[in-house]
Amino acid sequence: MAVHEHPHRNSGFHLPNFRRNRTASGSESAVSARTGTQTAPAYVFASLRLLTGFVFLWAFLDKTFGLGYATQSGKGWIDGGSPTKGFLGGVAAGPMESTFHSWAGDTWADWLFMLGLLGIGVALIAGVALRFAAVGGTVMMALMWVAEWPPAQHLSDGSASMSTNPFADYHLIYAVVLIALAAASAGDTLGLGRVWARLPLVRRGRWLR
């Protein structure tokens, strides 16, 4: 009579696999740590974006309505004042001094400057079109840097320029900040960057991002 061996049946009792548990726990911890590490810079960049956007938007509002800060009440753009006449007309150093004087107060210069402030401010606060904002803002900051001309130790009338640094000033800092915000996709956090990126037009042209 043949004897058939039955396959060994599992008793249902298992010793815990500590190695597997440690691996899973380690993976979860790593994911959690990585997520936390990625979230912190995202919020830092988002905060920087909003603050920088407010700088540009406030400049537009103050120059338009004469809110009494940099622009006196009653001398705003809507009151007939020129947003560029005072700044460009006061340029007193640099290779483009006479050029800026000729631009001061021109209608095209006023509109271009104010639309630039408004567009950059709205784009940064909303978190959309950051590449456009970075390009436009960098051009604007470069022109303002040339207008103030930090390398000059003396103004055209011979008086001291009071320049605190021959190269690095706040205009260059703002330009670098705008570029960094666009490179970091800072509009994705606390902004409409992700929604903007899903628009068909933006998806077809990544340079609109």
Side-chain angles (χ1 to χ4, degrees):
M1 179 175 137
V3 177
H4 299 282
E5 293 184 1
H6 295 283
H8 179 71
R9 295 184 178 179
N10 196 327
S11 64
F13 176 77
H14 299 279
L15 289 174
N17 190 333
F18 292 107
R19 181 178 179 182
R20 183 178 61 190
N21 290 344
R22 284 199 301 270
T23 302
S25 178
S27 299
E28 292 174 0
S29 299
V31 170
S32 177
R34 186 164 57 250
T35 301
T37 302
Q38 292 173 346
T39 300
Y43 279 101
V44 170
F45 274 108
S47 300
L48 180 61
R49 189 197 85 237
L50 291 171
L51 289 173
T52 306
F54 184 68
V55 169
F56 281 88
L57 188 58
W58 176 260
F60 170 81
L61 294 174
D62 185 51
K63 292 179 184 299
T64 299
F65 300 105
L67 300 180
Y69 287 84
T71 305
Q72 297 180 6
S73 179
K75 294 186 176 181
W77 195 23
I78 62 172
D79 301 310
S82 170
T84 63
K85 187 174 183 179
F87 178 69
L88 294 181
V91 173
M96 293 184 64
E97 179 180 350
S98 59
T99 301
F100 286 132
H101 287 172
S102 68
W103 291 356
D106 282 356
T107 301
W108 69 266
D110 288 343
W111 274 93
L112 195 60
F113 178 59
M114 294 300 282
L115 289 177
L117 289 177
L118 177 62
I120 294 168
V122 171
L124 289 175
I125 289 179
V128 302
L130 295 186
R131 294 181 182 179
F132 265 16
V135 172
T138 298
V139 171
M140 179 183 293
M141 292 299 105
L143 288 172
M144 295 180 75
W145 185 90
V146 174
E148 293 199 0
W149 199 245
Q153 292 181 314
H154 298 89
L155 303 178
S156 55
D157 62 0
S159 61
S161 67
M162 304 302 290
S163 176
T164 58
N165 191 293
F167 177 70
D169 74 342
Y170 67 97
H171 296 109
L172 295 185
I173 301 300
Y174 277 129
V176 173
V177 166
L178 290 171
I179 294 170
L181 293 174
S185 298
D188 292 354
T189 302
L190 300 180
L192 302 175
R194 297 183 188 277
V195 176
W196 175 261
R198 289 197 294 268
L199 295 177
L201 180 62
V202 179
R203 293 177 66 180
R204 288 194 298 269
R206 300 300 296 175
W207 50 276
L208 294 171
R209 183 71 170 80

